[in-house]
Amino acid sequence: MLTWLTLSTLFLATRAATDKATLIQGTLEGNARVSGLPEQLALTQQLLHRYNLDRPLFYLAWQPAAGWQWHGSHNQYHQWLLQLAQGSLGYSYQEDAPVMHLLGRALRYTLPLTLLAAGFSLLLAVHLALWVSCRPTARSLVLAVLHALQSIPLFLLAVCLLLLLANPDVVAWFPAFGLGDAETEINWLQQPGYLLYHLTLPVLSLVLVSLPALTIQLDGALQQELSQKYIVTARAKGASRSRAVRQHALRNALLPSITLLTELLPSLVAGSVVVEVLFALPGMGRLLAEAAATQDYPVLVGAAGLTALVRLLAQALADMLYQMADPRIRLSQ
């Protein structure tokens, strides 16, 4: 319900802000085959109909001369709902291509980036939190480093990685930007490794931004569990600190940390916008940046819907992990 309301508000706001004259003029100027006035008028009507801009915006509209008027189902919003129910997000103003096609093409690069960053962030957070819990003497130093890392913005962190690891004046271990000609110059067996090589710095940037919050949260939960009576009993029976942490405290400590998963995936999707623009990757980040710069509102609405879907999937994943961590938890039907 909230997702539908958000998308509907965004659609109505962007359609109301769409300047039809500017949109049509930009298309006509970019089409060298259109020469005469009759052809321009015909193409204008065709474009308006293609984007449903020849209809009223909503069911009810205010006309200065006639007052409130009811348009029934003959409006842009109703047509957009019908298209959405059929799995269509409309057409891009700039590329004149289906928005679903553009999003799918961009996700070929954004999905590996975000999934790799999420997987490495979770694995490293769990192992690092376990490591510091088993070594109390190093805990303060590690937490101090994590807090310092947490204060660095993603953009600044990515730039630092570029200057340190993709700079010929320092070390040029990784490419500074782009994917090169991975799809044309190498065979399909080499493409996964080639893609991973180019995604190393973007993934590392997202991991370093996500890791501190996950580790600090899990470490705090582990410290609280280590003070519980069942841990004291396990230690009294001869269990080492490492065994008590891994076999007894970890499962209970994971419960409050799972809540962070509902924010991890959406934040990684948002962070991918920054790193993809910075590293010139042809993913969702560049697509959104270009759509915002050119006022390509159908693409922006589609991307917002995709972000809302990711948040819903993250919440569903968190619910599943809650049940796996503690079978006594039962989700309400």
Side-chain angles (χ1 to χ4, degrees), residues 87-108:
S88 173
L89 295 172
Y91 284 81
S92 165
Y93 291 161
Q94 297 300 317
E95 299 194 29
D96 196 26
V99 174
M100 290 291 291
H101 172 72
L102 297 178
L103 293 179
R105 187 175 64 187
L107 286 175
R108 291 171 53 192

Side-chain angles (χ1 to χ4, degrees), residues 265 308-318:
L265 290 179
L309 179 62
V310 169
R311 183 173 291 275
L312 291 176
L313 291 176
Q315 292 176 346
L317 178 62

